[in-house]
């Protein structure tokens, strides 16, 4: 197998996932905007996006969630998506909530704000600004949800839902969208994640 990635949020999720599971995979780091748009990479992913996982038989898996699910099944040590139906459902639910409420707004802001994406879509600066304004409220929503004292997104065990949350935390640091100081529950959770070795994956 070979993992194709870049300095991008979706690729970061997979890097954190494999670091948590201690999986060793050959990797190729691509440059966004050049390598990812090359004729060679177009054969791997026609959407010119990362990550992509090339299997030994030539099959390709794209999308960070799909790659993570595949790796979870073939590397069953240290389960991050849980075993019981209710645990799987809760992690899926919270992964989706974190994605839609935190990851996607930052991602949309980035795509409509950075010149790197100017030839990928029609950028709307006002939309980027609206996403930026919305983020403090998004973090406060999560803070209220975590006011029950849980250590992690789903109870007291680290899971894939926390990995979903690590990337918005990192992107928030980069793009001045960090967690507001009054979000004590989220800040405690964030501080615990920053201490994990996978934070630097």
């Amino acid at each position: 197998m070979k993992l194709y990635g870049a300095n991008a949020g979706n690729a970061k999720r997979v890097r954190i996932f494999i670091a948590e599971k201690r999986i060793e995979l050959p990797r190729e780091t691509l440059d966004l905007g050049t390598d990812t748009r090359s004729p060679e990479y177009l054969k791997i992913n026609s959407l010119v996006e990362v990550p992509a996982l090339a299997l030994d038989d030539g099959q390709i898996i794209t999308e960070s969630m799909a790659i993570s699910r595949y790796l979870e099944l073939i590397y069953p040590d240290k389960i991050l998506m849980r075993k019981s139906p209710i645990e799987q459902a809760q992690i899926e639910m919270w992964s989706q909530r974190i994605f839609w409420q935190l990851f996607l707004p930052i991602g949309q802001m980035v795509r409509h704000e950075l010149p790197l994406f100017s030839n990928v879509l029609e950028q709307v600066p006002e939309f980027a600004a609206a996403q930026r304004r919305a983020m403090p409220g998004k973090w406060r929503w999560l803070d209220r949800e975590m006011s029950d004292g849980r250590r992690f997104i789903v109870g007291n065990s680290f899971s894939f839902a926390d990995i979903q949350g690590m990337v918005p935390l990192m992107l928030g640091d980069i793009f001045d969208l960090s967690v507001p100081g009054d979000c004590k529950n989220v800040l405690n959770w964030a501080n615990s994640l920053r201490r994990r070795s996978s934070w630097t994956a």
Side-chain angles (χ1 to χ4, degrees), residues 8-25:
N10 284 307
K12 180 72 171 179
R13 282 193 287 182
V14 175
R15 290 202 304 274
I16 296 170
F17 185 81
I18 64 176
E20 287 286 340
K21 290 180 72 72
R22 299 191 176 99
I23 300 171
E24 295 292 334
L25 283 180

Side-chain angles (χ1 to χ4, degrees), residues 57-183:
D57 63 2
Q59 293 188 79
I60 302 293
I61 303 173
T62 65
E63 308 303 329
S64 58
M65 179 65 83
I67 292 170
S68 298
R69 286 193 182 282
Y70 177 78
L71 294 174
E72 178 87 335
L73 291 171
I74 65 170
Y75 295 99
D77 292 340
K78 193 176 181 182
I79 297 296
L80 294 173
M81 295 178 173
R82 297 299 188 271
K83 294 181 179 179
S84 75
I86 186 59
E87 287 176 323
Q88 290 185 41
Q90 288 172 336
I91 290 170
E92 179 69 21
M93 177 187 80
W94 276 103
S95 293
Q96 290 294 321
R97 295 180 106 186
I98 296 297
F99 177 83
W100 289 102
Q101 297 300 317
L102 298 171
F103 183 92
L104 189 61
I106 295 178
Q108 294 281 36
M109 184 276 296
V110 169
R111 287 171 68 85
H112 283 268
E113 195 170 86
L114 294 190
L116 173 66
F117 297 100
S118 61
N119 61 349
V120 175
L121 77 166
E122 180 181 352
Q123 292 182 311
V124 181
E126 295 83 2
F127 180 65
Q131 298 305 299
R132 182 177 284 281
R133 289 193 301 271
M135 280 310 299
K138 304 285 188 180
W139 287 121
R140 290 188 175 102
W141 159 77
L142 182 60
D143 193 68
R144 291 191 298 273
E145 291 287 334
M146 298 189 76
S147 64
D148 57 5
R150 73 183 84 166
R151 291 180 55 217
F152 297 103
I153 293 295
V154 181
N156 290 313
S157 298
F158 182 88
S159 72
F160 187 78
D162 297 289
I163 294 175
Q164 289 278 55
M166 289 170 82
V167 178
L169 287 170
M170 295 170 182
L171 293 174
D173 291 344
I174 295 169
F175 295 105
D176 193 27
L177 293 168
S178 297
V179 180
D182 59 352
C183 294

Side-chain angles (χ1 to χ4, degrees), residues 20-49:
E20 287 286 340
K21 290 180 72 72
R22 299 191 176 99
I23 300 171
E24 295 292 334
L25 283 180
R27 304 187 206 180
E28 183 171 341
T29 302
L30 306 175
D31 182 65
L32 286 175
T34 54
D35 297 338
T36 54
R37 299 174 191 172
S38 68
E40 294 78 17
Y41 192 70
L42 271 169
K43 296 175 184 177
I44 295 171
N45 189 346
S46 60
L47 294 176
V48 299
E49 297 173 348

